[in-house]
Amino acid sequence: MSPPLLEARRVGYRIGDAVLVDGVDLEVRSGEILGIVGPNGAGKSTLVRMLAGETAPSEGQVLLDGEPIGGYRPHDLAVRRALLPQSTVLQFAFRVLDVVMMGRYPHREATPADDAISVETAMERGDIGHLRERLYPTLSGGEQARVSFARVLAQETPILLLDEPSASLDVRHQELVMAVLRTLTGSGAAVAAVLHDLNLAARHADRVAVMSGGRIVEVGLTAEVLRSDLLSEVYRHPVAVVPHPHLDCPLVLPLRS
Amino acid sequence: MSDPAASPGARRRAVRPPMVIAGLMAILAGGILASLALGAVSIPPSSVIGILLEHAGVPNGIDFTTQQDAVMWGIRLPRILLGGLVGAGLGVAGASYQAIFRNPLADPQLIGVSSGAALGSALTILLLGGAMGALAGPLGGLAGGLAAGALVYTLARHGGRTEVVTLILAGIAIAAVGTAGAGFISLVADEPRLKSELFWVLGSLTFSTWRLVWFTFPFVVAASIILPIYGGAMNVSLLGDSEARSLGIDVERFRIAVLALATMAVGAAVAAAGVIGFVGLLVPHAIRRVAGPDNRLVVPGSAIGGAALVILVDLAARTVASPTEIPVGLLTAVLGGPVFLWLVGKTRREHGGWG
């Protein structure tokens, strides 16, 4: 097992009396995709923002390579981890190419040639090469999501934290995004992604953390965690889990209540 | 750049940055020369050059009268330079506010910073003018502008976004208080510049002197040189606080630095020439139309373009109805009001307006 790159220790987050995240222990490891699933309001986004050092936890701490993440300077964080938020609104008419290029902002020493290669690779991986001259505000939601994904890839960090990278994507692009993440973990990247689609997690995650009410109810290998009893209880809705007829993974089937 | 909402496939062919800067410089140079030559006393272009060379210590045989020399060197040149500084300050500040408030409608006057600066400047000249001398205006403007900027910033930012309605409403309230305060001061003050209520509402370059030029110069030039350095960070910050932080920007520090620098320029500009509206809205917007939204170009371009605009508008202000002088802010409002309305309509079509 590779050492954890990012580690949450007894992490909690509260606003007034509301506890959004409560006593979470979690490791994000090099070479694997960690899927974070759970019902609405479970605290998934808040957890991801704390893992990214974007929000400071009210309890516990997040360690990046063994050091408290709050001690890193913004630029040092930016070359180590990238965060993809749920959606990005841009009121100014930047081209797609310009937006992806913004992902290169932390790499001040990079030559224009380095930047060009990263941006081209990122655009190809996000399948947005044909949109390069289009203006970002004119794109559809799914296209904007792919541009943001490409921007995060252009940042070229060893850790990727993604809040619903696939939410507004069609089937082909959902699979494409997960395949890109798999390629990156193959070369040592660590990926944690909030996933709404349980079957996307079932097909692509190495490990899954199930969150509910601010806590991690269970975390472990995907096939061991995605069980009918656990999911039915957490989602408060009957869910069946059967072996996938064509792939070597579970298939999650919500039933009628 | 066409209207993105009307044609979803809109592409932009941006004009290259050096061309944009060169074009703006050419307009600025043309504006300066025209303003030197034109007015109640007409000075032929050859004499303009002769007078400039004479003051630069270059002996030349070009003909000019002592009256022409007095008018150009003593009256027109300081007025042009001050107009240029005021325009540069308002332009560069407008572009910067639009970036940090993440909104193309942010303008020094609309968000209340100009009025805050006017009140601060008028109050300080009135109360501390004796003790502080000519620095009272710029420093008071800076303090008043910063107070207004901090107030607007605190009120309108919520959850990492700027609420446009709150921004504009706060601007209206601050402008009302600032204008009323400056108006009251105009009743009790002795100094001609302070006494002119119109000065604080519509601005004027009538009171330009070399002293005012020198006291405005460092604030505006510092802002115009430093703010463009933040252009790349401004671009990234437009993606959102979360995105900007993820890309390594210390968002709060960045925003406060830009807010302070831009407000410093506005404070100095308002202290020198009163409240001239819409420059910070018109100029960055025109540059974006031609060259796209990259702030590494829009911010420095707005300094040059703002200088050119105010110089040209002031030329019109003192010549079209001569001998009556039109307040310069009246003309910028005539130009800026319709553009503002058009921007509001465009934003409404593209983003569904503001509830």
Side-chain angles (χ1 to χ4, degrees):
Chain A
M1 195 198 296
S2 35
L5 281 167
L6 201 54
E7 188 180 1
R9 282 194 191 159
R10 311 301 304 161
V11 159
Y13 189 76
R14 57 185 72 226
I15 302 175
D17 290 339
V19 180
L20 303 189
V21 173
D22 190 12
V24 164
D25 287 306
L26 191 64
E27 290 176 357
V28 184
R29 300 170 188 154
S30 168
E32 69 166 27
I33 298 177
L34 171 69
I36 301 172
V37 304
N40 295 339
K44 306 183 293 288
S45 296
T46 309
L47 176 61
V48 166
R49 287 157 59 92
M50 287 193 291
L51 286 172
E54 153 85 17
T55 305
S58 7
E59 288 126 45
Q61 60 178 351
V62 174
L63 301 178
L64 171 58
D65 288 334
E67 303 287 330
I69 199 162
Y72 284 83
R73 290 192 323 216
H75 173 261
D76 295 332
L77 272 186
V79 295
R80 285 174 172 80
R81 64 89 184 94
L83 169 67
L84 178 68
Q86 280 185 12
S87 68
T88 294
V89 182
L90 189 55
Q91 289 229 10
F92 292 84
F94 282 94
R95 291 175 308 169
V96 164
L97 184 65
D98 302 326
V99 175
V100 178
M101 189 56 112
M102 289 180 195
R104 300 298 300 162
Y105 182 79
H107 299 277
R108 293 170 205 156
E109 314 78 20
T111 64
D114 293 341
D115 287 340
I117 291 169
S118 300
V119 166
E120 289 307 319
T121 310
M123 288 203 298
E124 194 181 313
R125 284 176 163 165
D127 190 28
I128 54 164
H130 58 293
L131 302 174
R132 63 171 62 228
E133 293 294 323
R134 283 275 301 275
L135 303 180
Y136 182 86
T138 70
L139 301 179
S140 76
E143 288 169 335
Q144 291 188 345
R146 274 148 54 203
V147 174
S148 298
F149 179 65
R151 190 196 79 230
V152 162
L153 295 181
Q155 204 173 334
E156 290 187 339
T157 53
I159 304 173
L160 288 151
L161 301 165
L162 314 156
D163 196 351
E164 299 198 20
S166 56
S168 47
L169 301 185
D170 59 40
V171 172
R172 186 172 85 86
H173 288 110
Q174 287 190 355
E175 289 298 312
L176 188 122
V177 161
M178 297 311 291
V180 169
L181 294 178
R182 174 56 66 206
T183 310
L184 295 173
T185 56
S187 45
V191 173
V194 173
L195 297 170
H196 247 329
D197 182 343
L198 291 168
N199 281 311
L200 209 59
R203 282 197 299 279
H204 298 284
D206 298 299
R207 289 190 307 140
V208 167
V210 181
M211 282 191 85
S212 177
R215 296 173 164 275
I216 289 189
V217 182
E218 200 165 324
V219 56
L221 295 176
T222 303
E224 291 168 12
V225 172
L226 295 181
R227 298 186 316 271
S228 161
D229 60 326
L230 178 68
L231 295 178
S232 299
E233 189 194 322
V234 164
Y235 283 92
R236 292 176 22 208
H237 185 94
V239 174
V241 179
V242 299
H244 198 292
H246 299 295
L247 301 173
D248 182 22
C249 68
L251 182 62
V252 180
L253 301 167
L255 304 174
R256 283 199 200 110
S257 42
Chain B
M1 188 175 76
S2 57
D3 186 344
S7 49
R11 287 158 191 246
R12 186 184 60 244
R13 262 203 72 78
V15 180
R16 298 215 162 273
M19 290 295 294
V20 176
I21 296 291
L24 289 167
M25 292 291 244
I27 298 172
L28 177 61
I32 292 174
L33 289 176
S35 294
L36 285 172
L38 300 174
V41 175
S42 124
I43 306 171
S46 63
S47 302
V48 167
I49 292 164
I51 297 168
L52 284 176
L53 286 175
E54 186 74 22
H55 283 276
V58 182
N60 61 87
I62 305 170
D63 252 8
F64 57 85
T65 64
T66 44
Q67 188 211 22
Q68 286 174 334
D69 179 29
V71 166
M72 199 190 106
W73 193 259
I75 300 171
R76 281 188 201 161
L77 193 56
R79 181 170 180 149
I80 289 164
L81 292 177
L82 192 66
L85 288 170
V86 165
L90 295 174
V92 81
S96 305
Y97 287 144
Q98 285 151 27
I100 56 171
F101 286 112
R102 219 173 287 147
N103 195 297
L105 301 180
D107 164 87
Q109 187 198 18
L110 290 170
I111 64 175
V113 173
S114 293
S115 308
L119 179 56
S121 177
L123 256 183
T124 317
I125 295 174
L126 182 72
L127 300 178
L128 302 169
M132 295 170 68
L135 268 179
L139 291 182
L142 176 60
L146 281 176
L151 189 62
V152 166
Y153 174 75
T154 321
L155 280 173
R157 286 196 63 81
H158 181 75
R161 298 224 159 268
T162 310
E163 295 166 352
V164 184
V165 177
T166 322
L167 186 72
I168 303 291
L169 289 179
I172 291 173
I174 294 172
V177 174
T179 310
F184 176 73
I185 290 168
S186 72
L187 293 178
V188 298
D190 297 326
E191 199 195 318
R193 202 157 59 93
L194 277 185
K195 271 175 85 112
S196 160
E197 192 181 349
L198 213 53
F199 175 79
W200 298 114
V201 180
L202 287 172
S204 175
L205 291 163
T206 310
F207 308 103
S208 304
T209 59
W210 280 105
R211 266 170 79 83
L212 262 185
V213 170
W214 296 128
F215 280 112
T216 311
F217 182 84
F219 299 102
V220 170
V221 169
S224 302
I225 289 171
I226 301 170
L227 283 168
I229 299 170
Y230 286 99
M234 288 184 196
N235 289 344
V236 170
S237 79
L238 291 175
L239 294 169
D241 284 1
S242 204
E243 287 86 342
R245 225 168 268 138
S246 164
L247 286 164
I249 292 174
D250 189 336
V251 175
E252 291 307 315
R253 247 173 68 180
F254 153 77
R255 200 177 285 120
I256 286 167
V258 171
L259 190 68
L261 282 163
T263 303
M264 181 176 85
V266 175
V270 169
V275 177
I276 300 174
F278 293 106
V279 175
L281 188 79
L282 280 168
V283 175
H285 189 70
I287 294 172
R288 275 189 215 107
R289 294 282 293 180
V290 175
D294 189 339
N295 284 301
R296 289 169 298 183
L297 177 63
V298 172
V299 174
S302 295
I304 305 169
L309 178 70
V310 170
I311 288 172
L312 285 169
V313 168
D314 185 52
L315 173 63
R318 65 187 171 82
T319 52
V320 289
S322 173
T324 305
E325 197 174 292
I326 306 168
V328 63
L330 195 145
L331 287 183
T332 59
V334 166
L335 289 171
V339 172
F340 181 66
L341 283 178
W342 175 80
L343 260 177
V344 168
K346 182 172 122 96
T347 313
R348 192 160 156 214
R349 281 195 303 281
E350 281 168 27
H351 306 285
W354 308 288

